[in-house]
Amino acid sequence: MPIILDGENAWEYYPASGREFLRRFYDALHHSSDIEAVTVSEAIERHQNFRTLGSITPGSWISANF
């Protein structure tokens, strides 16, 4: 199950731009035996059985377009 964090907008509302939150979050991931942090490229390499999306709905708050 992916956990994907927005790296652009939300952090300015955390104290110190989220540095302490992210430090603790990634430290907890590092020490977890149940969760592994990987890049998108690593995840794609591991899982080659993909289905094709029939459509995609815009999730952007900026004009809802791509």
Side-chain angles (χ1 to χ4, degrees), residues 17-42:
S17 297
R19 286 183 195 92
E20 184 65 16
F21 167 80
L22 290 171
R23 186 189 68 73
R24 290 180 185 209
F25 178 75
Y26 285 112
D27 186 59
L29 286 180
H30 178 73
H31 289 96
S32 172
S33 61
D34 299 322
I35 299 173
E36 180 185 10
V38 297
T39 65
V40 172
S41 296
E42 290 170 328

Side-chain angles (χ1 to χ4, degrees), residues 27-61:
D27 186 59
L29 286 180
H30 178 73
H31 289 96
S32 172
S33 61
D34 299 322
I35 299 173
E36 180 185 10
V38 297
T39 65
V40 172
S41 296
E42 290 170 328
I44 290 170
E45 284 180 23
R46 293 179 187 185
H47 304 284
Q48 295 296 317
N49 297 325
F50 295 108
R51 293 182 287 162
T52 302
L53 292 175
S55 65
I56 188 167
T57 303
S60 172
W61 55 269

